[in-house]
Amino acid sequence: MTIPIKDKTGIAKMREACAVAATVLENLKPLVRPGVTTQDLEEAGRDWIARLGARSACYGYQHGSRRYPAHTCISVNDEVVHGIPSFRRILREGDIVSLDIVVWHDGYIGDNAFTVPVGPVSPAVEKLLRVTREALDLGIRQAQVGHRIGDVSHAIQQFVEANGFSVVRDMVGHGVGVSMHEPPEIPNFGRKGTGDKIKPGMTLAIEPMVNLGAYKTKTLSDGWTVVVADGTPSAHFEHTVLTTERGPEILTIPRPAATQVST
Ligand code: MF3
Ligand code: CO
C-alpha cells in the first residue's frame, strides 16, 4: 500500500487536528493525581474534545464486532494501550497512567499519547518513563526525508534495549490522516535501511510502547485492554509528525492558552 502524501490543504488540516489532540492531552495531564478515577479523566477529555470543536476518533471505533466505548484511552501500570476508563479505577500514588488522545477535526486525525506518574514513582518506573520519552525523540529524529521507516524502528529498539527494557511487538505506530491508521506501519523494532522510504508530506504517528519486563502482551476479556503478560509496568509516548525537506516537524504541540477555546 502506498503511503499517503498530504498536500498543502491536508497539511494545514493535520496541523489543526494535531493541535487539538495535543491541547486536550495537555489539559488532562494536571488532572492526574491520587484519588482521581480514570472515568474522571475520560469525562474531562470528552469535554475538552467537544470544547475544541472536534470529535473523538476512539468513540465507536470498530475492531472486529466491537466498538470502543469511550472518548479516551486510559491505561494504568501494566496496561499498555486501549484501557477503558472506569469509575472503579481509582489512581493511587506510585501508579503510572498512559493517556492516549485521538481526535477528528475537519476530516483529519491527530493522535498523541503521554504517560504521567501519579505522585512519586519508583526509580525503575521513573527510568521507564524517561527512556520511553527519549526513545520517541530518537525515533522522530530518524524521520528524515531519504531515510527509511526501519531507521525509526531501529533507533527506538536500540535505545530501549540498551537501557534494559523491551519494546512491545503486538502494536505499532502508523501513518495517520483522514483515517486513524494509514500506511505505513511503524514498528518500534526493526532493522536500519529497511521498509518504506520517507518522503516529504507524510504524517506519521510514532509511538513507542515500552515494558519494564518482557515484551509479550495479551488482551483482556473486555476485548480492548492490552496488558503486559508478565504484569510489569508499561509506558507509551506518541506524537504525530510531519516529514519535510527541513526535517521532521512535531504536529502534536498544544496551542497557547489564549487560543485554546474555539467559540
Ligand atoms: N492510538 C490508538 C491506536 O492507534 C487509539 C485507538 S482508539 C481505540 O490504536 F478506539 F481503538 F481505542
Ligand atoms: Co496511534
Side-chain angles (χ1 to χ4, degrees), residues 26-27 47 108 144 192 196 260:
E26 199 62 19
N27 281 293
D47 292 350
Y108 283 78
Q144 304 280 348
K192 270 188 210 172
D196 289 297
Q260 269 174 14

Side-chain angles (χ1 to χ4, degrees), residues 10-11 15 26 33 51 53 55 61 82 91 102 125 145 155 163 194 209 216 220 222 225 229 232 239 246 250:
I11 290 171
R15 278 189 201 291
E26 199 62 19
R33 51 192 150 68
R51 201 173 298 152
R55 276 175 41 205
Y61 180 86
H82 305 165
L91 301 179
V102 197
V125 169
V145 170
N163 278 284
T194 64
M209 289 152 268
K216 205 165 169 260
L220 296 186
D222 63 19
T225 314
T232 56
H239 273 306
R246 285 154 280 107
I250 297 173

Side-chain angles (χ1 to χ4, degrees), residues 174-243:
H174 50 93
V176 56
V178 294
S179 54
M180 182 156 59
H181 300 127
E182 296 181 348
E185 290 197 343
I186 311 174
N188 295 299
F189 56 95
R191 301 202 343 252
K192 270 188 210 172
T194 64
D196 289 297
K197 221 179 204 162
I198 296 174
K199 297 184 180 139
M202 294 179 173
T203 45
L204 307 175
I206 302 176
E207 50 177 320
M209 289 152 268
V210 175
N211 300 348
L212 195 117
Y215 66 73
K216 205 165 169 260
T217 68
K218 59 183 186 191
T219 304
L220 296 186
S221 58
D222 63 19
W224 290 101
T225 314
V226 176
V227 300
V228 183
D230 68 14
T232 56
S234 186
H236 181 208
F237 289 83
E238 175 178 29
H239 273 306
T240 301
V241 171
L242 170 70
T243 57

Side-chain angles (χ1 to χ4, degrees), residues 9-251:
T9 314
I11 290 171
K13 291 188 176 194
M14 279 302 286
R15 278 189 201 291
E16 289 302 312
C18 289
V20 170
T23 303
V24 174
L25 184 56
E26 199 62 19
N27 281 293
L28 295 191
K29 288 179 196 173
L31 304 181
V32 171
R33 51 192 150 68
V36 161
T37 71
T38 55
Q39 178 64 23
D40 295 329
L41 300 172
E42 154 71 7
E43 288 171 15
R46 178 198 63 198
D47 292 350
W48 271 109
I49 293 168
R51 201 173 298 152
L52 296 171
R55 276 175 41 205
S56 166
C58 294
Y59 187 77
Y61 180 86
Q62 207 164 354
H63 183 74
S65 62
R66 293 174 191 268
R67 288 183 177 278
Y68 188 72
H71 301 77
T72 60
C73 294
I74 313 226
S75 309
V76 182
N77 296 339
D78 62 329
E79 296 170 358
V80 182
V81 287
H82 305 165
I84 302 174
S86 162
F87 60 84
R88 291 186 305 272
R89 191 72 194 247
I90 306 167
L91 301 179
R92 301 191 323 181
E93 194 166 289
D95 287 344
I96 55 172
V97 187
S98 300
L99 310 169
D100 192 350
I101 301 294
V102 197
V103 306
W104 210 318
H105 180 272
D106 197 14
Y108 283 78
I109 285 179
D111 188 358
N112 63 173
F114 194 97
T115 303
V116 187
V118 185
V121 296
S122 72
V125 169
E126 210 166 274
K127 182 181 172 191
L128 175 71
L129 299 186
R130 179 176 59 76
V131 166
T132 310
R133 203 173 171 171
E134 280 178 39
L136 172 58
D137 288 343
L138 292 171
I140 291 171
R141 207 168 301 162
Q142 289 301 317
Q144 304 280 348
V145 170
H147 284 194
R148 288 180 185 272
I149 295 298
D151 298 331
V152 175
S153 307
H154 175 81
I156 292 170
Q157 180 178 25
Q158 197 292 121
F159 181 72
V160 166
E161 292 181 354
N163 278 284
F165 301 134
S166 68
V167 290
V168 169
R169 307 288 206 268
D170 300 331
M171 266 94 37
V172 296
H174 50 93
V176 56
V178 294
S179 54
M180 182 156 59
H181 300 127
E182 296 181 348
E185 290 197 343
I186 311 174
N188 295 299
F189 56 95
R191 301 202 343 252
K192 270 188 210 172
T194 64
D196 289 297
K197 221 179 204 162
I198 296 174
K199 297 184 180 139
M202 294 179 173
T203 45
L204 307 175
I206 302 176
E207 50 177 320
M209 289 152 268
V210 175
N211 300 348
L212 195 117
Y215 66 73
K216 205 165 169 260
T217 68
K218 59 183 186 191
T219 304
L220 296 186
S221 58
D222 63 19
W224 290 101
T225 314
V226 176
V227 300
V228 183
D230 68 14
T232 56
S234 186
H236 181 208
F237 289 83
E238 175 178 29
H239 273 306
T240 301
V241 171
L242 170 70
T243 57
T244 83
E245 296 285 7
R246 285 154 280 107
E249 184 192 338
I250 297 173
L251 297 184

Side-chain angles (χ1 to χ4, degrees), residues 52 255-262:
L52 296 171
R255 283 283 159 73
T259 59
Q260 269 174 14
V261 179
S262 69

